[in-house]
Each structure stands twice: as structure tokens, then as C-alpha cells.
Amino acid sequence: MDSHRKEKFILIIILLLAVGARLYLYDANYYGEDFFYHYSVVEQSLERNKFSSQNDLVVCYEGAKEGHPIGYYMLPYALGKIIGIEEAFFIVPIFFGILTILLVYMLIKLLFGVRVAQLTAFFLAVSIAHLVKSIPHTYRGDNIIYPFIIGSLICLYKSFKEKGTKKGLRYAVFAGLISGSSMFVWNGYPLLIVIYVMTFLCYLTYT
């Protein structure tokens, strides 16, 4: 087996391990923080057949008109229309968890090489801190935002490596679009902007 195939094989094993770990820790009687609030938002949207972040069942005057940004519920709403809301909230946390691991692998590989990327992805796959945010029936904003953070950093790094070229400019635009679009997904998007700006400033300072 050549090195490229071996790398792919190891990555697939790590990702399968990550899925297995999340399914192993799944407890049908456990629901994550604010899970039922998010479930209710999507359920009401599906019943009205209108995508919205409004929750009419919140015990306050006229319900909660604005909670999370509309994009926060986009994926469970879309999947809920196709496969059902229960299945959507089972799959989506795992999806974001696995996507995060894959993107972290790509970023660390760019920075430190394949071996370090494999070790990083493995430890992230079995890390309790990451597991509890990406097991079924949890729906956390930080689990959703991780791919945006890592994706924007990958594009930012590539734009630095290709500085002065059209390819570098495209990567810079993608980095800005990814980081900027996070505001439509999570109220904590300023964290991503801070990380993005600090990374840029560090690059300017030390290069």
C-alpha cells in the first residue's frame, strides 16, 4: 500500500472510530442542554411549513420571536423535511463533529504534516470534551461553529501561501465569506471573527 492510500485508510479508520464513539456514548434517555428548545423551534417550523427561528411555546409574551440566527436551524429543518425531525437531531450533531475532525486534520496536515494530523484527529475523535458536544440529541452552537472556524483558517493559511496570486486572492475571499457567514449560524460568531483577526495579526507580526 502506497503512502497516499495508507494516509486515506488511516483517516477513514479515525473517522469511523469517531462515529462509533459517539454512537457508543449515546443514551436514549439523555438530552443535551437546551435540546428541547431547539427541537421545538424546528418542530414548529415543520408544522407551519415555514422555516423560522421563532418559538411560540416559550413562556413569555407572544413567545420568542428571535432566538438564534436563522441558519442555526437550517440543517435539522432541511433534514427533518426529508427523513423526520427525530432522525435529523440524531444525525446532525454527529455530522458536525465528524466534519470538525476532518477539517482539523486538513489544517494540521498543512501546518505540521501527516503524522501530527493523524494524532490530532485521533485524540479529537475520542476526546470527551468534543464527544459530549457531538453525540446524538445534543445541539450546541459551538459544535456548529467549529467547521466555520477551521475552514476559514485553512483558507486564510492557503491565501498566505499563495500570496500575490489570483489563487491566493480566491482563498482570501473564501476565508472572509466563511468567517462572515458564521453570523447567520450562531450568536457566538464574534469568537470566530476574533480568532480570524488574531491569526492575521500574528502572521503580520512574525513574518
Side-chain angles (χ1 to χ4, degrees), residues 33-104:
E33 182 180 348
D34 295 332
F35 170 79
F36 289 107
Y37 176 90
H38 303 312
Y39 185 98
S40 178
V41 169
V42 177
E43 185 178 46
Q44 291 173 65
S45 292
L46 290 171
E47 288 173 353
R48 292 191 295 262
N49 199 29
K50 181 182 178 182
F51 184 39
S52 169
S53 61
Q54 179 177 328
N55 191 338
D56 294 330
L57 300 181
V58 172
V59 184
C60 62
Y61 179 67
E62 292 188 346
K65 296 300 182 184
E66 293 183 7
H68 288 277
I70 192 70
Y72 189 83
Y73 301 106
M74 186 178 298
L75 192 54
Y77 176 79
L79 283 178
K81 291 182 74 72
I82 300 170
I83 62 176
I85 188 171
E86 289 281 351
E87 291 75 11
F89 274 100
F90 189 94
I91 293 172
V92 169
I94 298 177
F95 168 76
F96 279 116
I98 301 307
L99 181 59
T100 297
I101 294 169
L102 180 60
L103 290 173
V104 165

Side-chain angles (χ1 to χ4, degrees), residues 176-200:
L177 288 174
I178 293 170
S179 59
S181 63
S182 65
M183 70 178 62
F184 299 105
V185 177
W186 188 44
N187 287 328
Y189 74 88
L191 171 65
L192 190 154
I193 305 300
V194 168
I195 293 173
Y196 182 85
V197 171
M198 291 303 295
T199 303
F200 185 69

Side-chain angles (χ1 to χ4, degrees), residues 18-34:
V19 173
R22 282 148 183 78
L23 294 177
Y24 177 76
L25 286 182
Y26 167 64
D27 182 348
N29 297 315
Y30 171 79
Y31 296 90
E33 182 180 348
D34 295 332

